[in-house]
Amino acid sequence: MIIGIPRETRAGETRVAATPETVKKLAASGKHPLVVEASAGTMASFPDSEFAAAGAKIGSAAEAFGADIVLKVRGPTAAELPGLKRGALLIGLLNPFDAAAMAACAATGVSGFALEWLPRITRAQSMDVLSSQANIAGYKAVMIAADIYTRFMPMLMTAAGTVKAARVLILGVGVAGLQAIATAKRLGAVIEASDVRPSVKDQVESLGAKWVDVPYANDEERKIAEGVGGYARPMPPEWMARQAEIIHERCKSVDILITTALIPGRPAPKLIRADTVAAMKPGAVIVDLAVEQGGNVEGAELDQIVNKAGVKIVGFGNLPARVATDASALYARNVLNFLSLSLNPKSGEFAVPKDDEIVKATLVCENGAVVPRN
Ligand code: NAD
């Protein structure tokens, strides 16, 4: 089996699906040659020479896409699809919610594995690309906010007087939100956080942040809020209205607002209205991590900083790509762990365990057809 690692070509994508570390492990058995497309790792600071030293051949895009196992970060573009070989394994963030992209991928005849659909079970944690990348996004969101914010984050007592600590509000406390709390905490900010899922309260408080409670009016609301499989579900409009009012009041005194709320396969819930932005202090900074799914904040625009009467709304997409080296390192390890279900890196034995629940959950297309999702 030839393992190919193409260069990512989508705009702004700097990551690479394998690193010299993972290439070395995959090359260990000597049974499966690796082809890394020239400059695939350059944007993530992994030069071709390091891939070559780890045991890969540096080749063309055609060679990398034409491999038996193709490791990608993002799903292939229309221009890349024809380069895939029928029967090959394709592993990456294939965007399984996009039916047209899935149909196009299936038409190539590859067996496609979409890592977005890894089940959230203990055994899959080491493969969980959504977690590894959300963790980075949460960190980077705070770094970006701190950079744009025109004041200090920590409280400072200086000879020239005292500087107040920044007040940070984090909405949506999944993997990204938890890392945002931890990072802002290290910078000395005073933090509040909220989420729809009640189980998050203890995690927020254990990180030293204050929980902003949005009460449930009845058992039905509470049941929906618990979510499914670790993910949130859309809340009833009455709860969303109650949340908007509570958050509106909090936002009046907030310096930095970071929103990360997502519901898989749906547009991001709108949490911040335009009048809430208007009620915030001049100089406040909002970072909307959900901007690629439509945004949590009214007025956020993809890859823009929108200035609304002195309140800056940052809508940068793909934050992990702004931490390209570590994002690639973690992603590549996730991919190696996923591939190891089928390919033993030490012995080189290869067999896809079709009955494995992780394999079954992620297989999105095979033999020219999209695999129906139940
Ligand atoms: P996500 O990216 O899908 O969503 C981010 C957060 O937004 C979630 O916490 C969600 O509850 C919240 N949210 C959605 N709608 C909201 C609303 N209207 N208002 C406020 N918040 C809203 O979530 P995620 O980061 O992928 O993680 C979800 C959970 O899964 C976390 O608790 C995480 O710890 C858990 N997890 C478990 C495993 C595992 O067990 N293997 C692996 C990864 C994550």
Side-chain angles (χ1 to χ4, degrees), residues 120-121 125 128 131 172-175 195-197 230-232 240 243 260-263 269 271:
R120 292 201 140 165
I121 56 173
Q125 272 181 352
D128 191 340
S131 289
V173 194
V175 178
D195 196 289
V196 59
R197 293 178 300 119
Y231 292 111
M240 292 296 288
Q243 179 193 42
T260 80
L262 289 177
I263 297 166
L271 307 185

Side-chain angles (χ1 to χ4, degrees), residues 217-262:
N218 49 50
D219 285 348
E220 196 199 339
E221 277 189 7
R222 184 182 296 277
K223 184 93 192 83
I224 299 171
E226 278 163 10
V228 55
Y231 292 111
R233 288 196 288 164
M235 288 301 283
E238 299 77 24
W239 186 90
M240 292 296 288
R242 218 174 304 133
Q243 179 193 42
E245 275 319 308
I246 292 169
I247 297 305
H248 182 87
E249 288 309 309
R250 300 306 320 137
C251 279
K252 289 178 183 171
S253 56
V254 156
D255 299 303
I256 292 175
L257 168 63
I258 294 174
T259 68
T260 80
L262 289 177

